[in-house]
Amino acid sequence: GNPNDYIMASQGNARAGMSQFAEAGGSDWVHFVRVEDVPKMTSRARSLGAQVILSPSKEADSELAILKDPAGSYFGLIEYKWKKGGTR
C-alpha cells in the first residue's frame, strides 16, 4: 500500500479508508459495494459498460477493484472476511 493510505477500523474490521487516487484527477469519493466474487462482478460490470480502473487485487484481508461507470462516476467492488467478533 501507499504510505499515505489511512484505514479506519472498528471491532478489528476495516470500515473506511482514504488513499491517493491519481486516476480521479484529484480529490474524489469512491464508494464501495461489498460483493462475494470481485473478479466475476468486475467482468459483469465491464459487460454493462464500466471501465476497469484498478483490476481485482488483493489488499490485506480483502480483494477489491475500482471501476468507472458509463456516466463517469467511480465505484469500487470489495470482498472481505469479517474478523471474529466483528459486526456487519
Side-chain angles (χ1 to χ4, degrees):
N2 183 322
N4 295 319
D5 289 351
Y6 296 94
I7 302 293
M8 292 162 265
S10 171
Q11 299 177 335
N13 293 291
R15 304 293 182 165
M18 293 185 290
S19 180
Q20 292 179 338
F21 185 44
E23 176 69 29
S27 298
D28 204 347
W29 286 100
V30 177
H31 302 275
F32 283 83
V33 178
R34 185 175 181 204
V35 299
E36 290 190 16
D37 187 331
V38 172
K40 180 180 176 181
M41 295 307 293
T42 298
S43 292
R44 176 78 173 129
R46 186 180 310 164
S47 75
L48 295 170
Q51 176 185 354
V52 178
I53 303 301
L54 175 68
S55 295
S57 62
K58 300 222 183 254
E59 300 284 335
D61 293 335
S62 64
E63 185 170 14
L64 60 90
I66 298 176
L67 302 100
K68 184 164 51 171
D69 71 20
S73 297
Y74 292 91
F75 68 98
L77 301 174
I78 189 165
E79 177 181 5
Y80 53 92
K81 307 268 190 266
W82 284 96
K83 292 185 179 173
K84 190 173 183 174
T87 59
R88 297 176 190 204

Coordinates of all heavy atoms in Angstrom, one line a residue:
G1 N 0.8 -1.2 0.0 CA 0.0 0.0 0.0 C 0.8 1.3 0.0 O 2.0 1.2 0.3
N2 N 0.2 2.3 -0.3 CA 0.7 3.6 -0.3 C 1.0 4.1 1.2 O 0.1 3.9 2.0 CB -0.3 4.6 -1.0 CG 0.2 6.0 -1.1 OD1 0.9 6.5 -0.3 ND2 -0.1 6.6 -2.3
P3 N 2.1 4.7 1.5 CA 2.3 5.2 2.9 C 1.3 6.3 3.3 O 1.2 6.6 4.5 CB 3.8 5.7 2.9 CG 4.1 5.9 1.5 CD 3.2 5.0 0.7
N4 N 0.6 6.9 2.3 CA -0.3 7.9 2.6 C -1.8 7.3 2.8 O -2.7 8.1 2.9 CB -0.3 9.0 1.6 CG 1.0 9.7 1.6 OD1 1.6 10.0 2.6 ND2 1.5 10.0 0.4
D5 N -1.9 6.0 2.8 CA -3.2 5.4 2.9 C -3.6 5.4 4.4 O -2.7 5.3 5.3 CB -3.2 3.9 2.4 CG -3.1 3.8 0.9 OD1 -3.2 4.8 0.3 OD2 -2.9 2.7 0.5
Y6 N -4.9 5.6 4.7 CA -5.4 5.5 6.0 C -6.6 4.6 6.1 O -7.5 4.7 5.2 CB -5.9 6.9 6.5 CG -4.7 7.9 6.6 CD1 -4.5 8.7 5.5 CD2 -4.0 8.0 7.7 CE1 -3.4 9.7 5.6 CE2 -2.9 8.9 7.8 CZ -2.6 9.7 6.7 OH -1.6 10.6 6.8
I7 N -6.6 3.7 7.0 CA -7.7 2.8 7.2 C -8.4 3.1 8.5 O -7.7 3.2 9.6 CB -7.2 1.3 7.2 CG1 -6.5 1.0 5.9 CG2 -8.4 0.3 7.5 CD1 -7.4 1.0 4.7
M8 N -9.7 3.2 8.5 CA -10.4 3.4 9.8 C -11.1 2.1 10.1 O -11.8 1.5 9.2 CB -11.4 4.5 9.6 CG -10.7 5.9 9.5 SD -11.8 7.1 8.7 CE -11.3 7.0 7.0
A9 N -10.9 1.6 11.3 CA -11.4 0.3 11.7 C -12.2 0.4 13.0 O -12.1 1.3 13.8 CB -10.3 -0.7 11.9
S10 N -13.1 -0.6 13.1 CA -13.9 -0.8 14.3 C -14.1 -2.3 14.6 O -14.3 -3.0 13.6 CB -15.3 -0.1 14.1 OG -16.2 -0.4 15.2
Q11 N -13.9 -2.7 15.8 CA -14.0 -4.1 16.1 C -13.1 -5.0 15.3 O -13.4 -6.1 14.9 CB -15.5 -4.6 16.0 CG -16.4 -3.9 16.9 CD -17.8 -4.3 16.8 OE1 -18.2 -4.8 15.7 NE2 -18.6 -4.2 17.8
G12 N -11.9 -4.5 14.9 CA -11.0 -5.2 14.2 C -11.2 -5.3 12.7 O -10.5 -6.0 12.0
N13 N -12.3 -4.7 12.2 CA -12.6 -4.7 10.8 C -12.5 -3.3 10.1 O -13.0 -2.3 10.7 CB -14.1 -5.2 10.6 CG -14.2 -6.7 11.0 OD1 -13.7 -7.6 10.4 ND2 -14.9 -6.9 12.2
A14 N -12.0 -3.3 8.9 CA -11.9 -2.0 8.2 C -13.3 -1.5 7.9 O -14.1 -2.3 7.4 CB -11.1 -2.2 6.9
R15 N -13.5 -0.3 8.1 CA -14.8 0.3 7.8 C -14.8 1.4 6.8 O -15.7 1.6 6.1 CB -15.4 0.9 9.1 CG -15.5 0.0 10.3 CD -16.5 -1.1 10.1 NE -16.6 -1.9 11.3 CZ -17.6 -2.7 11.5 NH1 -18.6 -2.9 10.6 NH2 -17.6 -3.4 12.6
A16 N -13.6 2.0 6.7 CA -13.5 3.1 5.7 C -12.0 3.3 5.5 O -11.2 2.9 6.3 CB -14.1 4.4 6.2
G17 N -11.6 4.0 4.4 CA -10.2 4.3 4.2 C -10.1 5.5 3.3 O -11.0 5.9 2.6
M18 N -8.9 6.1 3.3 CA -8.5 7.2 2.5 C -7.2 6.9 1.8 O -6.3 6.3 2.4 CB -8.4 8.5 3.3 CG -9.7 9.0 3.9 SD -9.5 10.5 4.8 CE -8.5 10.1 6.1
S19 N -7.1 7.2 0.5 CA -5.9 6.9 -0.3 C -5.8 7.9 -1.4 O -6.8 8.5 -1.9 CB -6.1 5.5 -0.9 OG -4.9 5.2 -1.6
Q20 N -4.6 8.2 -1.9 CA -4.4 9.0 -3.1 C -4.9 8.2 -4.3 O -4.6 7.0 -4.4 CB -3.0 9.4 -3.2 CG -2.5 10.3 -2.1 CD -1.1 10.7 -2.3 OE1 -0.3 10.0 -2.9 NE2 -0.7 11.8 -1.7
F21 N -5.6 8.8 -5.1 CA -6.2 8.1 -6.3 C -6.0 9.0 -7.5 O -6.8 9.8 -7.9 CB -7.7 7.8 -6.0 CG -8.4 7.0 -7.1 CD1 -7.8 5.9 -7.6 CD2 -9.6 7.3 -7.5 CE1 -8.4 5.1 -8.6 CE2 -10.3 6.6 -8.5 CZ -9.7 5.5 -9.0
A22 N -4.8 8.8 -8.1 CA -4.4 9.7 -9.2 C -5.4 9.7 -10.4 O -5.6 10.7 -11.0 CB -3.0 9.4 -9.7
E23 N -6.0 8.6 -10.7 CA -6.9 8.4 -11.8 C -8.1 9.4 -11.7 O -8.6 9.9 -12.7 CB -7.4 7.0 -12.0 CG -8.4 6.8 -13.0 CD -7.8 6.9 -14.5 OE1 -6.7 6.6 -14.7 OE2 -8.6 7.3 -15.4
A24 N -8.5 9.7 -10.5 CA -9.7 10.5 -10.3 C -9.3 12.0 -10.6 O -10.2 12.9 -10.6 CB -10.2 10.4 -8.9
G25 N -8.1 12.3 -10.8 CA -7.7 13.7 -11.1 C -7.8 14.6 -9.9 O -8.2 15.8 -10.0
G26 N -7.5 14.1 -8.7 CA -7.6 15.0 -7.5 C -8.4 14.3 -6.5 O -8.5 13.1 -6.4
S27 N -9.1 15.1 -5.7 CA -9.9 14.5 -4.6 C -11.2 14.0 -5.2 O -11.9 14.6 -6.0 CB -10.2 15.6 -3.6 OG -9.0 16.1 -3.0
D28 N -11.7 12.9 -4.7 CA -12.9 12.3 -5.1 C -13.3 11.2 -4.1 O -12.4 10.6 -3.5 CB -12.8 11.7 -6.5 CG -14.1 11.6 -7.2 OD1 -15.2 11.8 -6.6 OD2 -14.1 11.4 -8.4
W29 N -14.6 10.9 -4.0 CA -15.0 9.8 -3.1 C -15.2 8.6 -4.0 O -15.7 8.7 -5.1 CB -16.4 10.1 -2.5 CG -16.3 11.1 -1.4 CD1 -16.5 12.4 -1.4 CD2 -15.9 10.8 0.0 NE1 -16.3 13.0 -0.2 CE2 -16.0 12.0 0.7 CE3 -15.5 9.6 0.6 CZ2 -15.7 12.1 2.1 CZ3 -15.2 9.7 2.0 CH2 -15.3 10.9 2.7
V30 N -14.8 7.5 -3.6 CA -15.0 6.2 -4.3 C -15.8 5.4 -3.3 O -15.4 5.0 -2.2 CB -13.7 5.5 -4.7 CG1 -14.1 4.2 -5.4 CG2 -12.9 6.4 -5.6
H31 N -17.1 5.1 -3.7 CA -18.0 4.3 -2.9 C -17.8 2.8 -3.2 O -17.7 2.5 -4.4 CB -19.4 4.7 -3.1 CG -19.6 6.1 -2.8 ND1 -19.9 6.6 -1.5 CD2 -19.6 7.2 -3.6 CE1 -20.0 7.9 -1.5 NE2 -19.8 8.3 -2.7
F32 N -17.8 2.0 -2.2 CA -17.6 0.5 -2.5 C -18.8 -0.2 -2.2 O -19.6 0.1 -1.3 CB -16.4 0.0 -1.6 CG -15.1 0.4 -2.1 CD1 -14.5 1.6 -1.8 CD2 -14.3 -0.5 -2.9 CE1 -13.3 2.0 -2.3 CE2 -13.1 -0.2 -3.3 CZ -12.6 1.1 -3.0
V33 N -19.0 -1.3 -3.0 CA -20.1 -2.2 -2.8 C -19.5 -3.6 -2.4 O -18.6 -4.0 -3.1 CB -20.9 -2.4 -4.1 CG1 -22.0 -3.4 -4.0 CG2 -21.5 -1.0 -4.6
R34 N -20.0 -4.2 -1.4 CA -19.5 -5.5 -1.0 C -20.1 -6.5 -1.8 O -21.3 -6.6 -1.9 CB -19.8 -5.7 0.5 CG -19.2 -7.0 1.0 CD -19.4 -7.1 2.5 NE -18.8 -8.4 3.0 CZ -19.1 -9.0 4.0 NH1 -20.1 -8.6 4.8 NH2 -18.5 -10.1 4.4
V35 N -19.3 -7.4 -2.4 CA -19.7 -8.5 -3.3 C -19.0 -9.8 -2.8 O -18.1 -9.7 -2.0 CB -19.4 -8.2 -4.8 CG1 -20.1 -6.9 -5.2 CG2 -17.9 -8.1 -5.0
E36 N -19.5 -10.9 -3.3 CA -18.9 -12.2 -2.9 C -17.8 -12.7 -3.9 O -17.0 -13.5 -3.6 CB -20.0 -13.2 -2.8 CG -20.9 -13.0 -1.6 CD -21.8 -14.2 -1.3 OE1 -21.5 -15.3 -1.9 OE2 -22.7 -14.0 -0.6
D37 N -17.7 -12.1 -5.1 CA -16.7 -12.5 -6.1 C -16.3 -11.3 -6.9 O -16.9 -11.0 -7.9 CB -17.3 -13.6 -7.0 CG -16.3 -14.3 -7.9 OD1 -15.3 -13.6 -8.3 OD2 -16.5 -15.5 -8.2
V38 N -15.2 -10.7 -6.5 CA -14.8 -9.4 -7.2 C -14.5 -9.6 -8.7 O -14.9 -8.9 -9.5 CB -13.6 -8.8 -6.4 CG1 -13.0 -7.6 -7.2 CG2 -14.1 -8.3 -5.1
P39 N -13.7 -10.7 -9.0 CA -13.4 -10.8 -10.5 C -14.6 -11.1 -11.3 O -14.8 -10.5 -12.4 CB -12.5 -12.1 -10.5 CG -11.8 -12.1 -9.2 CD -12.9 -11.6 -8.2
K40 N -15.6 -11.9 -10.8 CA -16.8 -12.2 -11.5 C -17.6 -10.9 -11.7 O -18.1 -10.6 -12.8 CB -17.6 -13.2 -10.8 CG -18.9 -13.6 -11.5 CD -19.6 -14.7 -10.7 CE -21.0 -15.0 -11.3 NZ -21.7 -16.0 -10.5
M41 N -17.8 -10.1 -10.6 CA -18.6 -8.9 -10.7 C -17.9 -7.8 -11.5 O -18.6 -7.0 -12.1 CB -18.9 -8.4 -9.3 CG -19.8 -9.4 -8.5 SD -21.3 -9.8 -9.4 CE -22.2 -8.3 -9.4
T42 N -16.6 -7.8 -11.5 CA -15.8 -6.9 -12.4 C -16.1 -7.2 -13.8 O -16.4 -6.2 -14.6 CB -14.3 -6.9 -12.1 OG1 -14.1 -6.5 -10.7 CG2 -13.5 -6.0 -13.0
S43 N -16.1 -8.4 -14.2 CA -16.4 -8.8 -15.6 C -17.8 -8.4 -15.9 O -18.1 -8.0 -17.0 CB -16.2 -10.3 -15.7 OG -14.9 -10.7 -15.6
R44 N -18.8 -8.7 -15.0 CA -20.2 -8.3 -15.2 C -20.3 -6.8 -15.4 O -21.0 -6.3 -16.4 CB -21.0 -8.8 -14.1 CG -22.5 -8.4 -14.1 CD -23.2 -9.3 -15.1 NE -24.6 -9.0 -15.0 CZ -25.4 -8.7 -16.0 NH1 -24.9 -8.8 -17.2 NH2 -26.7 -8.4 -15.9
A45 N -19.7 -6.0 -14.6 CA -19.7 -4.5 -14.7 C -19.1 -4.1 -16.1 O -19.7 -3.2 -16.7 CB -19.0 -3.9 -13.6
R46 N -18.0 -4.7 -16.4 CA -17.4 -4.4 -17.7 C -18.4 -4.7 -18.9 O -18.5 -3.9 -19.8 CB -16.1 -5.1 -17.9 CG -15.4 -4.7 -19.2 CD -14.1 -5.5 -19.4 NE -13.3 -5.4 -18.1 CZ -12.3 -6.2 -17.9 NH1 -11.9 -7.2 -18.8 NH2 -11.6 -6.2 -16.8
S47 N -19.1 -5.8 -18.8 CA -20.0 -6.2 -19.9 C -21.2 -5.2 -19.9 O -21.9 -5.1 -21.0 CB -20.6 -7.6 -19.7 OG -21.5 -7.6 -18.6
L48 N -21.4 -4.4 -18.8 CA -22.5 -3.5 -18.8 C -22.0 -2.0 -19.1 O -22.8 -1.1 -19.0 CB -23.2 -3.5 -17.5 CG -24.0 -4.8 -17.1 CD1 -24.4 -4.8 -15.7 CD2 -25.1 -5.0 -18.1
G49 N -20.7 -1.9 -19.5 CA -20.2 -0.6 -19.9 C -19.2 0.0 -19.0 O -18.8 1.1 -19.3
A50 N -18.9 -0.6 -17.8 CA -18.0 0.0 -16.9 C -16.6 -0.1 -17.4 O -16.2 -1.1 -18.1 CB -18.1 -0.6 -15.5
Q51 N -15.7 0.9 -17.1 CA -14.3 0.8 -17.4 C -13.5 0.4 -16.2 O -13.8 0.9 -15.1 CB -13.8 2.2 -17.9 CG -12.4 2.3 -18.2 CD -11.9 3.7 -18.5 OE1 -12.8 4.6 -18.6 NE2 -10.6 3.9 -18.6
V52 N -12.6 -0.6 -16.3 CA -11.9 -1.0 -15.1 C -10.7 -0.1 -14.9 O -9.8 0.1 -15.8 CB -11.4 -2.5 -15.3 CG1 -10.5 -2.9 -14.1 CG2 -12.6 -3.4 -15.5
I53 N -10.6 0.5 -13.8 CA -9.5 1.5 -13.4 C -8.4 0.7 -12.7 O -7.3 0.9 -12.9 CB -10.1 2.6 -12.6 CG1 -11.2 3.4 -13.3 CG2 -8.9 3.6 -12.2 CD1 -10.8 3.9 -14.7
L54 N -8.8 -0.1 -11.7 CA -7.9 -1.0 -11.0 C -8.4 -2.4 -11.0 O -9.5 -2.7 -10.5 CB -7.8 -0.5 -9.5 CG -7.0 -1.4 -8.6 CD1 -5.5 -1.3 -8.9 CD2 -7.2 -1.0 -7.1
S55 N -7.7 -3.3 -11.7 CA -8.1 -4.7 -11.8 C -8.2 -5.3 -10.4 O -7.5 -4.8 -9.5 CB -7.1 -5.4 -12.7 OG -7.1 -4.9 -14.0
P56 N -9.0 -6.3 -10.3 CA -9.1 -7.0 -9.0 C -7.7 -7.3 -8.4 O -6.8 -7.8 -9.1 CB -9.8 -8.3 -9.3 CG -10.7 -7.9 -10.5 CD -9.8 -7.0 -11.3
S57 N -7.5 -6.9 -7.2 CA -6.2 -7.1 -6.5 C -6.5 -7.4 -5.0 O -7.5 -6.9 -4.4 CB -5.3 -5.9 -6.7 OG -5.9 -4.8 -6.1
K58 N -5.6 -8.1 -4.4 CA -5.7 -8.5 -3.0 C -5.0 -7.4 -2.2 O -3.9 -7.0 -2.5 CB -5.1 -9.8 -2.7 CG -5.8 -10.9 -3.5 CD -5.9 -12.1 -2.6 CE -6.6 -13.2 -3.5 NZ -7.9 -13.5 -3.2
E59 N -5.7 -6.9 -1.2 CA -5.2 -5.9 -0.2 C -5.5 -6.4 1.2 O -6.7 -6.4 1.5 CB -5.8 -4.5 -0.5 CG -5.6 -4.0 -1.9 CD -4.3 -3.4 -2.1 OE1 -3.6 -3.0 -1.1 OE2 -3.8 -3.4 -3.2
A60 N -4.5 -6.7 1.9 CA -4.7 -7.2 3.3 C -5.7 -8.3 3.3 O -5.4 -9.3 2.7 CB -5.1 -6.0 4.2
D61 N -6.8 -8.2 4.1 CA -7.8 -9.2 4.2 C -8.9 -9.1 3.2 O -10.0 -9.6 3.4 CB -8.4 -9.2 5.6 CG -7.4 -9.6 6.7 OD1 -6.4 -10.3 6.3 OD2 -7.6 -9.2 7.8
S62 N -8.7 -8.4 2.1 CA -9.8 -8.1 1.1 C -9.3 -8.3 -0.3 O -8.1 -8.4 -0.6 CB -10.3 -6.7 1.4 OG -9.3 -5.7 1.1
E63 N -10.2 -8.3 -1.2 CA -9.9 -8.2 -2.6 C -10.8 -7.0 -3.1 O -12.0 -6.9 -2.7 CB -10.3 -9.5 -3.4 CG -9.9 -9.4 -4.8 CD -10.0 -10.8 -5.5 OE1 -10.6 -11.7 -4.9 OE2 -9.5 -10.9 -6.6
L64 N -10.3 -6.2 -4.0 CA -11.0 -5.0 -4.5 C -10.7 -4.7 -5.9 O -9.7 -5.1 -6.4 CB -10.8 -3.8 -3.6 CG -9.4 -3.3 -3.4 CD1 -9.1 -2.2 -4.5 CD2 -9.2 -2.6 -2.1
A65 N -11.6 -3.9 -6.5 CA -11.4 -3.4 -7.9 C -12.1 -2.0 -7.9 O -13.0 -1.8 -7.1 CB -12.1 -4.3 -8.9
I66 N -11.6 -1.1 -8.7 CA -12.2 0.2 -8.9 C -12.5 0.3 -10.3 O -11.8 0.0 -11.2 CB -11.2 1.3 -8.4 CG1 -10.9 1.1 -6.9 CG2 -11.8 2.7 -8.7 CD1 -9.9 2.1 -6.4
L67 N -13.8 0.8 -10.6 CA -14.3 0.9 -11.9 C -14.9 2.3 -12.1 O -15.1 3.1 -11.2 CB -15.4 -0.1 -12.1 CG -14.9 -1.5 -12.0 CD1 -15.3 -2.0 -10.6 CD2 -15.5 -2.4 -13.0
K68 N -15.2 2.7 -13.4 CA -15.8 3.9 -13.7 C -17.1 3.6 -14.5 O -16.9 2.9 -15.6 CB -14.9 4.9 -14.5 CG -15.5 6.2 -14.7 CD -14.5 7.3 -15.2 CE -13.6 6.9 -16.2 NZ -12.8 8.1 -16.7
D69 N -18.2 4.1 -14.1 CA -19.4 3.7 -14.9 C -19.5 4.6 -16.2 O -18.7 5.5 -16.4 CB -20.7 3.9 -14.0 CG -21.1 5.3 -13.7 OD1 -20.6 6.2 -14.3 OD2 -21.8 5.5 -12.7
P70 N -20.4 4.2 -17.1 CA -20.5 5.0 -18.4 C -20.7 6.5 -18.2 O -20.4 7.2 -19.1 CB -21.7 4.3 -19.1 CG -21.7 2.9 -18.5 CD -21.3 3.1 -17.1
A71 N -21.3 6.9 -17.1 CA -21.5 8.3 -16.8 C -20.3 9.0 -16.3 O -20.3 10.2 -16.1 CB -22.7 8.5 -15.9
G72 N -19.3 8.2 -15.9 CA -18.0 8.8 -15.4 C -17.8 8.8 -13.9 O -16.9 9.3 -13.4
S73 N -18.8 8.2 -13.2 CA -18.6 8.1 -11.7 C -17.8 6.8 -11.4 O -18.0 5.8 -11.9 CB -20.0 7.9 -11.1 OG -20.8 9.1 -11.3
Y74 N -16.9 7.0 -10.4 CA -16.1 5.9 -9.9 C -16.8 5.1 -8.9 O -17.6 5.7 -8.1 CB -14.8 6.5 -9.3 CG -13.9 7.1 -10.3 CD1 -14.0 8.5 -10.6 CD2 -13.0 6.3 -11.0 CE1 -13.2 9.0 -11.5 CE2 -12.1 6.9 -12.0 CZ -12.2 8.3 -12.2 OH -11.4 8.8 -13.2
F75 N -16.6 3.8 -8.8 CA -17.1 3.0 -7.7 C -16.2 1.8 -7.5 O -15.4 1.5 -8.4 CB -18.6 2.5 -8.0 CG -18.7 1.6 -9.2 CD1 -18.8 0.2 -9.0 CD2 -18.7 2.1 -10.5 CE1 -18.9 -0.7 -10.0 CE2 -18.9 1.2 -11.6 CZ -19.0 -0.2 -11.3
G76 N -16.3 1.2 -6.4 CA -15.4 0.1 -6.1 C -16.2 -1.2 -5.8 O -17.4 -1.1 -5.3
L77 N -15.6 -2.3 -6.0 CA -16.2 -3.6 -5.6 C -15.2 -4.1 -4.5 O -14.0 -4.1 -4.7 CB -16.3 -4.5 -6.7 CG -17.1 -4.1 -7.9 CD1 -17.0 -5.0 -9.1 CD2 -18.6 -3.9 -7.5
I78 N -15.7 -4.7 -3.4 CA -14.8 -5.2 -2.4 C -15.4 -6.5 -1.8 O -16.6 -6.7 -1.7 CB -14.6 -4.2 -1.3 CG1 -13.5 -4.6 -0.3 CG2 -15.9 -3.8 -0.6 CD1 -12.9 -3.5 0.6
E79 N -14.5 -7.4 -1.5 CA -14.9 -8.7 -0.8 C -13.9 -8.8 0.3 O -12.7 -8.6 0.1 CB -14.7 -9.8 -1.8 CG -15.0 -11.2 -1.2 CD -14.8 -12.3 -2.1 OE1 -14.4 -12.1 -3.3 OE2 -15.1 -13.5 -1.7
Y80 N -14.4 -9.1 1.5 CA -13.5 -9.2 2.6 C -14.1 -10.2 3.7 O -15.3 -10.4 3.7 CB -13.2 -7.9 3.3 CG -14.4 -7.0 3.7 CD1 -14.9 -7.1 4.9 CD2 -14.9 -6.1 2.7 CE1 -16.0 -6.3 5.2 CE2 -16.0 -5.3 3.1 CZ -16.5 -5.4 4.3 OH -17.6 -4.7 4.6
K81 N -13.3 -10.7 4.5 CA -13.7 -11.6 5.6 C -13.8 -10.8 6.8 O -13.0 -10.0 7.2 CB -12.6 -12.7 5.8 CG -12.2 -13.4 4.5 CD -13.1 -14.6 4.3 CE -12.6 -15.5 3.2 NZ -13.2 -15.3 2.0
W82 N -14.9 -11.0 7.5 CA -15.1 -10.3 8.8 C -14.3 -11.0 9.9 O -14.2 -12.3 9.9 CB -16.6 -10.3 9.3 CG -17.4 -9.4 8.5 CD1 -18.1 -9.6 7.4 CD2 -17.5 -8.0 8.8 NE1 -18.7 -8.4 6.9 CE2 -18.3 -7.4 7.8 CE3 -17.0 -7.1 9.7 CZ2 -18.7 -6.1 7.7 CZ3 -17.4 -5.8 9.7 CH2 -18.2 -5.3 8.7
K83 N -13.6 -10.3 10.7 CA -12.8 -10.9 11.8 C -13.8 -11.3 12.9 O -14.8 -10.7 13.1 CB -11.8 -9.9 12.3 CG -10.7 -9.6 11.3 CD -9.6 -8.7 11.8 CE -8.6 -8.5 10.8 NZ -7.6 -7.6 11.1
K84 N -13.4 -12.3 13.6 CA -14.3 -12.9 14.7 C -14.7 -11.8 15.6 O -13.8 -11.0 16.1 CB -13.5 -14.0 15.4 CG -14.4 -14.7 16.3 CD -13.7 -15.9 16.9 CE -14.7 -16.7 17.8 NZ -14.0 -17.9 18.3
G85 N -15.9 -11.7 16.0 CA -16.4 -10.7 16.9 C -16.9 -9.4 16.2 O -17.5 -8.6 16.9
G86 N -16.6 -9.2 15.0 CA -17.0 -8.0 14.3 C -18.5 -8.1 13.9 O -19.0 -9.2 13.8
T87 N -19.1 -7.0 13.7 CA -20.5 -6.9 13.3 C -20.5 -6.3 11.9 O -19.7 -5.6 11.5 CB -21.3 -6.1 14.2 OG1 -20.8 -4.8 14.3 CG2 -21.4 -6.8 15.6
R88 N -21.5 -6.7 11.1 CA -21.6 -6.2 9.8 C -22.4 -4.9 9.7 O -23.3 -4.5 9.7 CB -22.3 -7.3 8.9 CG -21.4 -8.5 8.9 CD -22.1 -9.6 8.1 NE -21.2 -10.7 8.4 CZ -21.1 -11.8 7.6 NH1 -21.8 -11.9 6.6 NH2 -20.3 -12.7 7.9

